[in-house]
């Protein structure tokens, strides 16, 4: 898998993970904010009317006044989030209800007949502070808001059933905005990171790969620009390696040249005492390149001389002799050939490969004329 594919896969996995974690965090944050805002608004709405309600409760403990009825109806009409209101006395009996048949009913009787959605009323009376409980699978809040007289004595309770539809719509729209914003931000970050990866990593690595592929034994240089980062360090290491290889090759070439010079001196001495005057002798390697001769060759300096460059005429016969000699080391093979319009006796012997070098001696002796 390429680096870009790996980066794209990891970026997608990380962004999806971050988006999910962020979505859970912001969902709960939005839920807390909008639900708290809804609850605070309901509490403030009741507390705004609390002085008049507390005064009416103190004046007529059992009978609801017209002002209280007007306050309850006004709250229902002015806020569409209110689904129902139950106005209770300090002892939990119903002081006002939209259905007049419930007015004056005790808490237990009302609870048995209609039923409160939760125990928010009891909690509010006992604690003297507002209580909100989710009901109807999270669709509504039952909010019990106590009305406090002097000395923080609970004079009555306003029990509200509040719809969460508006809060849920706000949460949903906020999550949509969060998702859109997160996608835009991630696309911007991903684009910037990809451009950085492309120009700072992928393209330099591709260039380095192309430069390394262009290296050969004839040219062990790496024309890669200097960089101060990790890719530059890799390029410097490759340059150092190529420099060492080049030095080793030059050293081996030098040793080979020195070895060939010594070998030529050795062959010169051997052929001088073993080959009769007027007889030509050549020493060739496994590729039939001439290593040494006891006669002058008029060829360019530094150029490798092949055995076939030395002879003319019927060269096929020489090749056959050399081939047989190569197949039977240490055995002298003989044949005839024509060299410069002179019939010659050709002898060849493949020396044993004891020193790790294949050498063959070829002796060309002009045939003597018979009278």
């Amino acid at each position: 898998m390429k680096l870009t594919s790996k980066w794209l896969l990891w970026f997608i996995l990380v962004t999806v993970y971050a988006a999910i974690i962020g979505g859970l965090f912001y969902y709960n944050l939005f839920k807390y904010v909008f639900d708290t805002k809804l609850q605070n608004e309901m509490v403030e709405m009741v507390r705004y009317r609390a002085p008049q309600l507390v005064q009416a409760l103190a004046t007529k403990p059992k009978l609801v006044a017209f002002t209280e009825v007007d306050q309850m109806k006004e709250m229902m009409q002015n806020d569409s989030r209110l689904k129902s209101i139950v106005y209770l006395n300090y002892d939990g009996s119903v002081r006002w209800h939209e259905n007049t048949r419930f007015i004056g009913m005790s808490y237990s009787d009302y609870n048995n007949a209609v039923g409160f959605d939760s125990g928010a009323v009891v909690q509010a009376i006992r604690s003297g502070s507002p209580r909100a409980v989710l009901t109807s699978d999270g669709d509504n809040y039952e909010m019990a808001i106590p009305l406090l007289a002097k000395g923080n004595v609970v004079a009555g309770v306003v029990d509200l059933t509040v719809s969460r539809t508006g809060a849920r719509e706000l949460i949903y729209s906020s999550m949509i905005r969060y998702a859109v914003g997160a996608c835009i931000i991630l696309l911007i970050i991903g684009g910037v990171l990809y451009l950085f990866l492309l120009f700072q990593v992928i393209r330099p690595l591709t260039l380095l790969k192309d430069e390394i592929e262009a290296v050969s034994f004839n040219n062990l240089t790496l024309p890669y620009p200097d960089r101060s980062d990790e890719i530059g360090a890799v390029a410097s290491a490759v340059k150092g390696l190529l420099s060492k290889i080049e030095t080793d090759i030059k050293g081996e070439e030098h040793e080979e040249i020195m070895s060939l010079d010594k070998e030529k001196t050795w062959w010169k001495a051997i052929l001088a005492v073993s080959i009769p005057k007027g007889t030509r002798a050549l020493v060739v390697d496994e590729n039939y390149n001439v290593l040494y001769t006891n006669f002058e060759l008029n060829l360019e300096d530094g150029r490798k001389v092949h055995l076939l460059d030395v002879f003319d005429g019927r060269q096929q016969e020489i090749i056959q002799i050399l081939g047989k000699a190569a197949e039977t080391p240490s055995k002298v093979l003989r044949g005839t050939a024509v060299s410069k319009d002179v019939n010659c006796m050709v002898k060849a012997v493949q020396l044993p490969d004891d020193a790790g070098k294949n050498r063959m001696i070829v002796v060309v002796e002009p045939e003597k004329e018979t009278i």
Side-chain angles (χ1 to χ4, degrees), residues 282-309:
L282 307 92
V283 180
V284 298
D285 60 14
E286 63 275 7
N287 297 317
Y288 302 111
N289 293 316
V290 178
L291 297 177
Y292 177 76
T293 66
N294 64 348
F295 59 92
E296 290 288 335
L297 289 177
N298 296 324
L299 295 172
E300 298 178 3
D301 294 338
R303 172 188 161 191
K304 287 186 177 181
V305 181
H306 197 271
L307 185 63
L308 297 181
D309 295 330

Side-chain angles (χ1 to χ4, degrees), residues 119-136:
V121 173
V122 176
Q123 296 175 18
I125 293 175
R126 289 177 178 176
S127 63
S129 58
R131 285 290 181 268
V133 179
L134 277 174
T135 60
S136 304

Side-chain angles (χ1 to χ4, degrees), residues 218-238:
N218 295 326
N219 183 17
L220 290 173
T221 58
L222 186 70
Y224 191 79
D226 293 334
R227 293 172 61 98
S228 59
D229 54 11
E230 290 79 1
I231 299 176
V234 173
S236 298
V238 174

Side-chain angles (χ1 to χ4, degrees), residues 189-250:
I189 295 175
V192 172
L193 291 177
Y194 178 76
L195 291 176
F196 173 82
L197 184 68
L198 177 65
F199 290 105
Q200 297 298 321
V201 179
I202 297 175
R203 287 191 176 178
L205 285 177
T206 303
L207 177 60
L208 179 59
K209 177 184 73 70
D210 295 339
E211 296 291 351
I212 293 175
E213 289 178 347
V215 172
S216 64
F217 283 105
N218 295 326
N219 183 17
L220 290 173
T221 58
L222 186 70
Y224 191 79
D226 293 334
R227 293 172 61 98
S228 59
D229 54 11
E230 290 79 1
I231 299 176
V234 173
S236 298
V238 174
K239 289 180 181 178
L241 176 62
L242 293 176
S243 178
K244 291 179 181 178
I245 294 174
E246 186 175 14
T247 302
D248 292 342
I249 291 175
K250 289 181 178 179

Side-chain angles (χ1 to χ4, degrees), residues 25-88:
F25 172 78
Y26 278 103
Y27 175 79
N28 287 284
L29 178 63
F30 294 148
K31 180 180 177 182
Y32 171 79
V33 170
F34 293 125
D35 281 358
T36 302
K37 180 175 180 291
L38 174 64
Q39 295 171 21
N40 290 338
E41 289 177 353
M42 295 297 107
V43 172
E44 289 300 320
M45 180 178 62
V46 174
R47 286 181 175 174
Y48 175 76
R49 297 169 173 81
Q52 297 179 0
L53 297 176
V54 170
Q55 184 178 3
L57 284 166
T59 304
K60 297 180 178 180
K62 295 295 182 181
L63 297 175
V64 63
F66 288 108
T67 56
E68 295 174 281
V69 174
D70 293 339
Q71 294 285 356
M72 298 299 125
K73 290 183 178 180
E74 183 182 355
M75 285 192 290
M76 288 290 295
Q77 294 172 358
N78 293 341
D79 200 322
S80 59
R81 295 172 295 181
L82 288 176
K83 300 181 72 173
S84 67
I85 298 177
V86 181
Y87 183 27
L88 305 171

